[in-house]
Amino acid sequence: MKILETRWAFCLLTTVLILPLNALAAASADDGNVVNAPPAIAPLEEDYGIEIKSGEELYLPEPEVPDVSGYSRDAIEAKLAGRQDSAPNVTVERMGGVSALGDFVDEGRAREWVIRQFSHPQAIMVNSGKVTLEDVYRQVNDRRYMEQVGDGTYIIRLPLAVKQEATLVLRDETLRLSEERGSFIANDGWLFAIDSKIIGWREEANGPATFQKKGNFRPFYVGWGGSENFILGTTMANLGYLQSKSYGFTVAQYSEYDNARLQRSAPHAWLVESTFEDLYYGFYCYEAEDVAIVDNVYRDNIVYGIDPHDYSSRLLIANNEVYGTREKHGIIISREVNNSWIVGNRSYDNGLSGIVLDRQSSNNVVANNVSYDNQGDGIGLYESPDNLLWGNRLMNNLRNGIRVRNSSNVNVYHNVAVLNGTWGIYGQLKDLSATDRNFKEDFYSYEVSMNVVGGELASNASGPLSTDNPAYIAIYDVGMRFPRSDVGIHFEGVLGKYQMQIFDALRNQGRAVFIEPTAVVSGQVTQAEN
């Protein structure tokens, strides 16, 4: 930790020192229906022109972000108080025919629970009422299925399902989910976990169900379509494995087939001031809306820290600390996760990148985050156009500060990228036709375009800025100091062709640089029209 603090202090000090000098600065795979779509023809380097003019047209106001103060302890307590107080009703029943459990008994998955329960699979059903863990314990009344093992500490040895009209409340309690007996939580109604612990538990070792192998069952949590999930001041740990909707903490809409019958709205969740550790995925969602992930700690999770997925929208990921993700990214949104905000987070020491936008995730604001000491990029945009990166700090990442791959109309404003292992900002064209990507579902354009305004790109190993042949690039008021290369600050490719003009415009004239192809029609370069 001392090493981390020292490195963080050095990076922060470097940022503070170089910012005042700005004005003086010189210059993932899916299965099924694979379509190998060849990329469009990119313009050649000699087919570009440069224009020097005022930077006024590049002005953007600071983005508006949701007020995180609305996601508070008082607000969650008010939600709970609004739930009707009615008599609790809890039973133990067979798992079959229960909507919240259908995914786990269909398509051969029931075998998992037959083996673990030594019988036809059963579950604890919270049927109705506002129900506490004490209520569940009293009404189950069978130590084979649920046991109190200490003051406020319970272990359950069956799946636990909260039905549509019911509310389950954990407050100042610990709930252990037995790994050996196949326990998990499936919420189809309302669940509040306040100042509690929900732990995957390995009874044989009398300890937490720490991760061993990705295919080994571990307990998990899933909130289904129409569910409301409130996690406040709570620790969730040692959950999840590689199986659908069983990743750790998940909120997911029912399948299209099931929801044609159930007609459920999108699932919602507020995760506030909580800790998520040793989860296969710290957070995963599918077709969720209006999820708030605010002021949490995600540490030492396995594949991803925070991973909103597939057609989710209006998500707020704010002020979280995400670190130690073993395999991949700290924060990633993927496959048309749109109209969302990733703001004020710290993402560091992750197996790949700190923050990633992937597979046509658009109209998102990524602002005022700090991403450092990651094994990939600070921020990566993969096949995700029309996004805004504002005021982020990207430091000491192994690869680029910011990478923009096959993504157009990206606004990169007032970001600081320093001490990264390759470029401060890198625009990349990459042909994905040789991969197993499903191009019907995950289409993309072979194009990069961006506006780079303000901020500082300093002391990055390969240089401040590079881009493969862009559809356009505009650069204005960008500080570029402290080169690590012996040849000083330099550009490559299209930017290298106009290096002297770029430096002169930015440093001496205080004007903007606009570089774009002279004209491109149907993939063939033509003369620009008057």
Side-chain angles (χ1 to χ4, degrees):
M1 182 60 71
K2 288 183 177 179
I3 293 173
L4 176 63
E5 290 173 351
T6 301
R7 185 180 295 168
W8 166 247
F10 172 67
C11 291
L12 184 60
L13 177 60
T14 304
T15 303
V16 171
L17 288 172
I18 64 178
L19 279 173
L21 300 172
N22 189 34
L24 300 175
S28 86
D30 293 288
D31 296 327
N33 298 325
V34 175
V35 178
N36 288 327
I41 299 173
L44 302 175
E45 290 181 13
E46 58 266 26
D47 298 317
Y48 281 83
I50 185 171
E51 187 175 4
I52 310 298
K53 56 183 179 178
S54 168
E56 291 181 2
E57 68 181 75
L58 294 173
Y59 170 77
L60 285 180
E62 185 170 352
E64 294 184 7
V65 300
D67 182 3
V68 299
S69 66
Y71 303 96
S72 65
R73 180 170 292 269
D74 288 345
I76 291 175
E77 293 285 5
K79 295 273 188 183
L80 176 57
R83 297 297 294 156
Q84 182 178 1
D85 271 315
S86 56
N89 181 273
V90 181
T91 57
V92 175
E93 303 175 19
R94 289 187 172 185
M95 290 173 66
V98 178
S99 298
L101 301 176
D103 265 38
F104 312 114
V105 295
D106 294 340
E107 299 181 359
R109 290 192 70 183
R111 184 175 181 273
E112 186 84 65
W113 285 273
V114 172
I115 292 171
R116 294 174 184 278
Q117 296 184 17
F118 314 108
S119 66
H120 194 291
Q122 299 185 98
I124 298 169
M125 309 292 182
V126 179
N127 298 305
S128 60
K130 186 184 284 187
V131 181
T132 66
L133 273 187
E134 175 65 21
D135 295 327
V136 176
Y137 175 64
R138 284 190 298 101
Q139 296 198 14
V140 168
N141 193 29
D142 192 328
R143 292 183 63 185
R144 293 176 301 169
Y145 306 143
M146 184 172 184
E147 186 175 358
Q148 186 170 14
V149 294
D151 186 20
T153 299
Y154 301 86
I155 186 166
I156 59 172
R157 301 186 174 100
L158 293 177
L160 174 64
V162 182
K163 291 191 174 180
Q164 189 175 10
E165 300 303 323
T167 303
L168 178 63
V169 183
L170 285 69
R171 187 186 293 276
D172 298 311
E173 293 168 306
T174 296
L175 180 59
R176 297 173 178 173
L177 308 178
S178 171
E179 179 182 72
E180 289 89 344
R181 298 297 301 277
S183 181
F184 63 89
I185 298 174
N187 179 28
D188 206 25
W190 292 65
L191 185 140
F192 294 81
I194 301 174
D195 299 326
S196 295
K197 294 181 180 180
I198 299 175
I199 309 293
W201 197 256
R202 192 165 292 143
E203 292 195 74
E204 184 176 326
N206 193 31
T210 52
F211 178 76
Q212 295 175 329
K213 295 180 180 179
K214 64 183 180 180
N216 288 6
F217 173 88
R218 288 202 301 173
F220 56 89
Y221 179 103
V222 58
W224 287 111
S227 68
E228 300 286 345
N229 307 270
F230 296 92
I231 310 297
L232 171 65
T234 288
T235 294
M236 302 190 76
N238 317 116
L239 303 172
Y241 70 117
L242 182 56
Q243 186 61 266
S244 177
K245 309 303 188 291
S246 306
Y247 302 127
F249 187 98
T250 297
V251 288
Q253 181 56 278
Y254 284 103
S255 70
E256 185 176 357
Y257 174 82
D258 287 337
N259 211 37
R261 172 176 54 88
L262 297 171
Q263 295 294 301
R264 298 291 172 79
S265 60
H268 300 144
W270 289 11
L271 284 61
V272 179
E273 298 175 7
S274 294
T275 298
F276 301 83
E277 58 183 313
D278 188 37
L279 274 61
Y280 193 67
Y281 292 2
F283 174 88
Y284 175 88
C285 69
Y286 174 85
E287 294 187 5
E289 294 178 358
D290 302 306
V291 170
I293 305 173
V294 179
D295 292 326
N296 303 289
V297 173
Y298 286 82
R299 65 181 174 223
D300 300 329
N301 295 295
I302 309 306
V303 181
Y304 300 111
I306 300 174
D307 179 25
H309 229 277
D310 294 69
Y311 319 116
S312 297
S313 61
R314 300 188 304 279
L315 311 181
L316 175 61
I317 303 169
N319 304 336
N320 302 284
E321 186 173 10
V322 185
Y323 64 93
T325 309
R326 296 188 203 177
E327 294 186 11
K328 296 188 179 180
H329 313 301
I331 301 171
I332 176 174
I333 63 174
S334 183
R335 190 173 289 132
E336 296 188 55
V337 177
N338 300 328
N339 304 308
S340 297
W341 299 267
I342 302 174
V343 296
N345 303 283
R346 291 176 60 200
S347 187
Y348 59 94
D349 280 343
N350 297 295
L352 283 178
S353 297
I355 300 171
V356 171
L357 282 63
D358 183 40
R359 298 179 190 246
Q360 295 296 319
S361 293
S362 300
N363 298 317
N364 300 293
V365 175
V366 182
N368 303 320
N369 302 283
V370 181
S371 180
Y372 62 96
D373 290 352
N374 296 292
Q375 296 302 300
D377 304 309
I379 297 176
L381 273 69
Y382 305 145
E383 296 74 54
S384 291
D386 304 313
N387 290 293
L388 172 62
L389 311 183
W390 182 286
N392 301 287
R393 302 291 184 262
L394 305 317
M395 297 171 290
N396 205 46
N397 298 289
L398 185 63
R399 298 180 184 171
N400 306 283
I402 296 171
R403 173 158 50 160
V404 179
R405 187 182 82 182
N406 299 336
S407 301
S408 58
N409 193 32
V410 176
N411 286 315
V412 184
Y413 277 60
H414 309 299
N415 299 278
V416 172
V418 299
L419 298 171
N420 296 291
T422 51
W423 297 97
I425 299 172
Y426 176 38
Q428 181 185 23
L429 290 171
K430 186 172 184 179
D431 176 9
L432 304 179
S433 61
T435 69
D436 60 354
R437 179 176 295 230
N438 181 335
F439 290 102
K440 291 181 180 178
E441 187 173 34
D442 293 317
F443 60 93
Y444 76 99
S445 297
Y446 187 71
E447 180 178 298
V448 167
S449 58
M450 56 182 155
N451 298 317
V452 181
V453 176
E456 185 78 31
L457 309 176
S459 200
N460 299 289
S462 299
L465 175 64
S466 177
T467 181
D468 296 338
N469 297 1
Y472 70 81
I473 184 169
I475 310 168
Y476 177 59
D477 192 31
V478 181
M480 303 178 192
R481 289 180 65 85
F482 308 120
R484 287 162 66 180
S485 169
D486 292 340
V487 299
I489 298 171
H490 70 286
F491 298 131
E492 296 179 351
V494 173
L495 299 183
K497 179 180 178 180
Y498 298 108
Q499 179 161 312
M500 295 310 297
Q501 294 99 312
I502 293 171
F503 287 169
D504 181 63
L506 296 180
R507 181 179 62 181
N508 299 326
Q509 302 181 45
R511 292 166 69 80
V513 173
F514 296 79
I515 299 173
E516 58 186 339
T518 52
V520 179
V521 179
S522 300
Q524 301 298 319
V525 178
T526 68
Q527 294 299 315
E529 296 181 359
N530 292 329

